[in-house]
Amino acid sequence: MLNFAALGIGGLFTGSGVASAWYAGLDKAPWTPPGWAFGAAWTTIMLCFSLYMAYLLPQAENKTLLWELYALQWLLNVAWNPLFFHFRKPAWALTVILLLTLLIGFFLWNYRQSLGLKSLLLLPYFLWLLIATSLNAFIVLKN
């Protein structure tokens, strides 16, 4: 539920950002997916991440650290939309998404032995963040 709350809060700050003249006028990467792909991707990602956390939490040796990392992930995830769409600060948003990508990469690497193949549930999140980071970086570099 918390994962989808993050998406909802981020969506509130997106507002008309995707349809705005500002966003439409940006030079975007040629590999930018169609708009519908973002909703489908994030829904899948959050379902998989919820399962990943449900498997990981009972096995985690340091539950406090796990919750702190989860909270940091949540904050970074929520922060990106207002920085990019509301405040129109793509470079700041790039910093946030880079940190988020590194954090999810840490989850993937650090807890892989605890979860085995269940760690693959985190792969959609990590791969999507790599794509999203490249899209954000392209905007920063080309605008």
Side-chain angles (χ1 to χ4, degrees):
M1 190 66 163
L2 287 174
N3 292 335
F4 288 98
L7 293 181
I9 293 168
L12 290 174
F13 282 99
T14 302
S16 64
V18 176
S20 71
W22 172 78
Y23 183 72
L26 291 174
D27 188 11
K28 291 179 266 320
W31 60 92
T32 301
W36 63 265
F38 290 87
W42 278 110
T43 300
T44 302
I45 287 163
M46 287 303 137
L47 285 171
C48 290
F49 189 49
S50 295
L51 288 171
Y52 174 87
M53 290 300 293
Y55 287 126
L56 181 58
L57 190 57
Q59 296 182 20
E61 291 178 24
N62 188 340
K63 289 183 183 11
T64 301
L65 175 63
L66 181 59
W67 279 114
E68 289 169 349
L69 292 172
Y70 177 83
L72 179 58
Q73 172 277 150
W74 195 90
L75 290 170
L76 290 170
N77 198 327
V78 168
W80 187 87
N81 285 46
L83 285 173
F84 190 90
F85 287 110
H86 183 74
F87 295 109
R88 299 179 178 175
K89 300 288 185 187
W92 293 6
L94 179 58
T95 301
V96 166
I97 204 166
L98 281 168
L99 291 171
L100 181 57
T101 303
L102 290 172
L103 180 56
I104 295 304
F106 175 81
F107 268 98
L108 193 58
W109 178 258
N110 193 57
Y111 297 112
R112 75 191 184 290
Q113 290 181 331
S114 299
L115 291 180
L117 286 176
K118 292 174 185 149
S119 289
L120 294 177
L121 288 165
L122 200 55
L123 209 51
Y125 198 174
F126 186 68
L127 294 174
W128 185 258
L129 285 173
L130 291 175
I131 293 166
T133 300
S134 75
L135 297 173
N136 193 156
F138 187 94
I139 288 172
V140 169
L141 294 172
K142 298 292 185 175
N143 292 276

